[in-house]
Amino acid sequence: MNASEQYYDFPTSLNLERVEEAHVWYGMLPRAIDRGIGMAEYAVYNSGIGVTSEPVQRWDVRWTGTREQFEVWPIPASNTQSIQFTGIRNLRPLIADSDVADLDDLMIVLTVAAEILAAQENANAQAVASLAQERFKRMKGRSQSGGNRMRRMGMRAYPIDQRFPITVHTRVTK
């Protein structure tokens, strides 16, 4: 993040409605920050008059006149911080024949077939929908962690968080 800069663009691949957590990197260490900036926060560090401080403690989504951006509070006083979001990324569109699906192809085909059969009131619709649901459960099960494994980073061990099958980690820097 840049000194005295309050608003930043979201990474294009991140679904801003599905951000699970945010961390600010300050002093080479990640620090969890919460979403939500209100009057109580502005009373401490008034962004409206350009008050700066470190480290960033909160973030929120704001419409800045042309697009939605994320705001950080307090406004950074130096260029020594970056922010990292973890969440569900946007699925890539399936428009051209060469586009790659983010989801399992068989699960997509079974789901679409079940919907078409249901619209046609075909007796096989429920059976195909059950196959699609079973495929979904199998794919979801493969994306989950097998246990509470730990990843070593230096002298500390951190649990590997695999609650979400698709995550994006983005460091915003300029």
Side-chain angles (χ1 to χ4, degrees):
M1 293 179 277
N2 298 324
S4 301
E5 192 166 333
Q6 183 175 1
Y7 301 102
Y8 299 87
D9 292 333
F10 271 99
T12 56
S13 62
L14 181 64
N15 182 334
L16 64 98
E17 298 299 325
R18 300 192 66 193
V19 172
E20 297 297 331
E21 57 188 29
H23 289 81
V24 65
W25 285 81
Y26 181 70
M28 299 189 56
L29 294 172
R31 172 186 219 163
I33 59 174
D34 292 325
R35 181 176 178 175
I37 304 169
M39 289 301 131
E41 287 76 29
Y42 292 132
V44 177
Y45 298 108
N46 189 342
S47 300
I49 60 173
V51 174
T52 63
S53 185
E54 294 186 342
V56 164
Q57 299 174 34
R58 298 185 75 81
W59 73 280
D60 212 342
V61 178
R62 296 283 191 248
W63 176 257
T64 58
T66 56
R67 64 189 175 280
E68 286 186 309
Q69 293 183 295
F70 67 90
E71 174 185 6
V72 295
W73 174 91
I75 298 172
S78 69
N79 299 333
T80 60
Q81 302 176 78
S82 62
I83 194 165
Q84 179 177 356
F85 293 102
T86 302
I88 308 298
R89 72 174 170 85
N90 291 319
L91 296 177
R92 292 176 284 198
L94 293 174
I95 298 169
D97 287 343
S98 60
D99 289 341
V100 177
D102 291 317
L103 302 175
D104 180 68
D105 59 342
L106 185 55
M107 185 176 64
I108 293 170
V109 169
L110 288 169
T111 301
V112 171
E115 290 175 2
I116 291 171
L117 290 171
Q120 295 173 348
E121 298 181 7
N122 188 304
N124 294 322
Q126 186 57 42
V128 175
S130 294
L131 290 173
Q133 188 63 25
E134 287 301 315
R135 184 69 179 183
F136 171 74
K137 288 178 185 176
R138 186 176 311 128
M139 294 296 102
K140 187 175 180 181
R142 288 180 182 169
S143 70
Q144 302 300 313
S145 172
N148 191 12
R149 300 176 311 181
M150 303 294 271
R151 177 178 291 145
R152 301 289 278 156
M153 295 176 65
M155 297 302 290
R156 295 185 179 154
Y158 297 91
I160 299 173
D161 184 0
Q162 294 189 1
R163 294 173 294 166
F164 307 103
I166 302 173
T167 61
V168 62
H169 300 281
T170 303
R171 294 189 79 175
V172 178
T173 56
K174 289 201 176 192

